[in-house]
């Protein structure tokens, strides 16, 4: 099937899904993390290909508090969450008009479990969900709130830490809820008592709760159709699991992997999901990560479901951006901004090219484009399909205009490390569309390994712990990447709390805002969340 036919087929399928869902979900523009459950079709020709700080910007608005979550969209309104206070004392949900950028309402809630606010842990990282009646928001402090979408009035509020125990996590929680009909689901994986929870949207009451084993995790679940029925699919350090949304019953599990602590499992093709795994800070989990980036097929059998590895990536590993599939091709973006493109069904590597920055936002495919939202404000737009071609490179902010925001941070680059003036000029040259034939430097034979050596954040900062009845490592019995070399062992040892604080004081904080944290698409615009600001990018700027 040609790339043109793949695009046409994907548009037809999207249109059918949209029409079938219109009565119940007619305004579900981008209702959850990564757009899960959206019914409004986005036409690529309506979206901007190029932008800069002064081009194709409809508006930019300041959001109360700080946050790393993505916006969600229902109708003509975007909803964002934030956290405020040195101890994360206040949780905030804000509604913003997509037309004007003006605030429609904002509500504040007391945190269920105040904890110190810093860049080394999540700051309002969980993305909310929205439907025609409700906004349901979860915060890493344990607060879970239901809000009337139209009025902003609180429908219900509860504390998961009061109900089920305090969160025990050195890295914070970033799990985003998912929704299906009248229910919202939360995967609460941490070092204490972990569980999967189903909550009634209308009342906030628990419908069911299923226990899970303890682990460190930033990951979020997905709702994916398997054999014609929806399942809650959870990929979190040490396992990938499928659950029945009605009962919470575990339907299948796959435990031959590790380091899958940051990414969301996403649909690859029928009954198949893409699984990402990150080496973590100081590459402490590199051995597991190399074995755990894969495509998993869920096979329905008479006695249940059986997960089978369809194929594994050769050298591609992730950071916070999940691997995703678009019109028959799967994309991984590494810590060094190297893009790996695979044919979804066979796992054949189509190309491996350097395309820009490390991404914390999962790439988004629309029509014949794939958008790569770099952490430091650079967005690279690739042509979808098996051939590497850069369509545009865009900057969201002027690098030299960004001051340091907190003591001890480097200055002038937002989410980027210091660079020479020459390097800054070279980056600044990408404000306009790149030539269709532009070819960024290709990754060398070992780039995917060597340039993944230093993720900027401890997305998984400890070695997998021994779990009763479960393998301690996906690579148990195999030589470690640091085995036999004391210097490498010391280098790979994860930082403890004192070391993290010392690094923060020294200025080794590499994610000072602004950072491109989260993205949502509307029919004709791209919303980009950068900490305390929300940007609306659209053709021509004004609407």
């Amino acid at each position: 099937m040609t790339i043109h036919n793949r695009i046409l087929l994907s548009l037809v399928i999207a249109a059918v899904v949209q029409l079938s869902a219109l009565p119940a979900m007619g305004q579900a523009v981008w209702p959850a993390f990564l757009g899960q459950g959206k019914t409004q079709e986005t036409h690529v020709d309506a979206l901007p290909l190029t932008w800069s700080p002064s081009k194709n910007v409809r508006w930019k608005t300041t959001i109360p508090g700080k946050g790393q979550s993505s916006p969600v969209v229902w109708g003509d309104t975007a909803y964002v969450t934030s956290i405020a206070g040195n101890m994360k004392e206040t949780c905030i949900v804000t509604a913003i008009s997509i037309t004007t950028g003006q605030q429609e309402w904002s509500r504040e809630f007391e945190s269920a479990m105040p904890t110190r606010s810093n860049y080394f842990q999540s700051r309002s990282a969980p993305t909310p969900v929205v439907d025609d009646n409700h906004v349901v928001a979860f915060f890493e402090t344990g607060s879970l709130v239901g809000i009337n979408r139209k009025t902003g009035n609180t429908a219900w509020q509860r504390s998961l830490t009061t109900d089920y125990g305090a969160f025990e996590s050195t890295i914070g929680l970033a799990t985003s809820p998912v929704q299906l009909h009248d229910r919202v689901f939360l995967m609460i994986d941490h070092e204490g008592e972990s569980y999967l929870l189903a909550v009634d949207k209308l009342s906030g009451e628990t419908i069911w709760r299923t226990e899970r084993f303890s682990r460190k995790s930033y990951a979020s679940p997905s709702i994916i159709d398997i054999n014609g029925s929806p399942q809650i699919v959870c990929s979190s350090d040490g396992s990938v699991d499928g659950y029945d949304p009605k009962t919470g019953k575990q339907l299948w599990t796959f435990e031959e992997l590790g380091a899958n602590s940051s990414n969301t499992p996403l649909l690859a093709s029928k009954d198949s999901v893409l699984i990402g795994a990150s080496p973590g800070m100081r590459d402490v989990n590199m051995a597991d990560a190399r074995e755990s980036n894969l495509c998993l097929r869920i096979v329905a059998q008479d006695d249940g479901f059986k997960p089978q590895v369809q194929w594994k990536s050769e050298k591609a590993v992730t950071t916070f951006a999940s691997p995703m599939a678009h019109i028959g091709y799967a994309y991984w973006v590494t810590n060094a901004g190297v893009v790996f493109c695979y044919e979804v069904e066979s796992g054949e590597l189509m190309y491996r090219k350097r395309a820009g920055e490390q991404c914390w936002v999962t790439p988004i495919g629309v029509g014949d484009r794939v958008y790569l939202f770099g952490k430091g404000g650079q967005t690279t737009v690739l042509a979808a399909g098996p051939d590497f071609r850069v369509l545009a490179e865009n900057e969201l902010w002027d690098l030299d205009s960004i001051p340091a925001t907190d003591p001890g941070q480097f200055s002038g680059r937002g989410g980027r490390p210091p660079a020479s003036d020459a390097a800054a000029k070279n980056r600044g040259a990408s404000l306009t569309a790149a030539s269709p034939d532009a070819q960024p430097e290709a990754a060398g034979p070992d780039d995917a390994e060597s340039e993944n050596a230093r993720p900027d954040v401890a997305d998984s900062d400890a070695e997998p712990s021994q779990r009763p009845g479960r393998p301690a490592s996906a690579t148990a019995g195999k030589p470690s990447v640091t085995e036999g070399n004391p210097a490498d062992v010391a280098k790979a040892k994860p930082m403890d709390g004192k070391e993290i604080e010392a690094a923060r004081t020294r200025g080794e904080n590499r994610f000072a805002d602004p950072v491109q944290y989260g993205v949502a698409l509307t029919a004709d615009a791209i919303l980009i969340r950068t900490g305390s600001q929300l940007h609306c990018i659209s053709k021509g700027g004004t609407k």
Side-chain angles (χ1 to χ4, degrees), residues 154-441:
T154 304
W156 49 266
Q157 181 179 359
R158 59 184 292 191
S159 165
L160 297 189
T161 55
T162 298
D163 295 342
Y164 304 118
F167 296 154
E168 301 175 24
S169 176
T170 57
I171 62 175
L173 268 68
T175 183
S176 296
V178 291
Q179 62 179 338
L180 186 66
H181 308 311
D182 61 345
R183 301 179 180 189
V184 63
F185 307 95
L186 282 153
M187 184 185 75
I188 307 298
D189 279 359
H190 61 117
E191 293 155 73
E193 184 178 344
S194 300
Y195 50 90
L196 184 66
L197 186 71
V199 173
D200 183 272
K201 289 183 186 177
L202 184 62
S203 66
E205 295 179 356
T206 295
I207 299 173
W208 52 255
R209 184 170 75 105
T210 299
E211 292 184 1
R212 290 172 54 80
F213 66 83
S214 302
R215 62 194 107 190
K216 290 185 178 182
S217 179
Y218 274 127
S220 298
S222 286
I223 302 288
I224 297 178
D225 272 3
I226 303 294
N227 194 37
S229 297
Q231 293 186 13
I232 306 167
V233 180
C234 302
S235 175
S236 187
D237 193 19
S239 71
V240 184
D241 311 287
Y243 296 88
D244 184 340
K246 295 179 181 178
T247 65
K249 178 184 177 181
Q250 187 181 79
L251 302 174
W252 54 269
T253 187
F254 178 79
E255 295 184 347
E256 298 172 19
L257 79 173
N260 55 319
S261 58
S262 302
N263 299 144
T264 300
L266 296 176
L267 182 68
S269 60
K270 180 178 171 57
D271 298 337
S272 294
V273 295
L274 296 178
I275 304 300
S278 169
M281 196 170 191
R282 299 186 177 182
D283 289 346
V284 69
N285 294 320
M286 180 60 85
D288 279 351
R290 284 174 174 162
E291 298 291 328
S292 304
N293 285 274
L294 49 88
C295 182
L296 193 68
R297 181 174 294 279
I298 315 304
V299 179
Q301 299 180 332
D302 292 339
D303 58 349
F305 297 90
K306 181 179 180 180
Q308 299 176 347
V309 175
Q310 187 169 337
W311 52 265
K312 290 186 178 183
S313 67
E314 295 175 351
K315 290 187 177 180
V317 295
T318 65
T319 51
F320 290 117
S322 302
M324 53 76 72
H326 180 57
I327 56 175
Y329 298 93
Y331 300 85
W332 264 255
V333 184
T334 74
N335 172 44
V338 175
V339 177
F340 286 72
C341 175
Y342 297 91
E343 204 278 328
V344 162
E345 292 300 329
S346 67
E348 179 183 357
L349 179 64
M350 298 289 100
Y351 63 77
R352 173 185 173 192
K353 297 284 187 177
R354 195 181 313 281
E357 300 180 336
Q358 173 187 159
C359 296
W360 285 6
V361 177
T362 296
I364 296 178
V366 184
D368 59 357
R369 301 175 192 169
V370 175
Y371 289 83
L372 308 179
F373 297 90
K375 170 190 165 191
Q378 183 184 69
T379 298
T380 303
V381 187
L382 302 180
D387 300 317
F388 179 78
R389 188 159 58 96
V390 176
L391 303 179
E393 291 180 327
N394 307 296
E395 296 281 357
L396 190 61
W397 56 77
D398 179 358
L399 296 181
D400 295 322
S401 70
I402 306 299
T405 54
D406 285 339
Q409 292 175 3
F410 57 84
S411 61
R413 302 298 172 194
R416 297 175 187 171
S420 67
D421 289 341
K425 289 178 181 178
N426 288 338
R427 286 194 181 277
S430 63
L431 287 173
T432 56
S435 164
D437 297 322
Q439 300 286 322
E441 178 187 352

Side-chain angles (χ1 to χ4, degrees), residues 25 49 53 73 76 80 83 127 129 149 256 281 329 338 372 383 405 408 430 442 464 472 489:
M25 299 283 282
L49 174 64
V73 181
D76 293 324
V80 291
I83 207 92
T127 294
V129 297
R149 181 186 68 82
E256 298 172 19
M281 196 170 191
Y329 298 93
V338 175
L372 308 179
T405 54
S430 63
V489 170

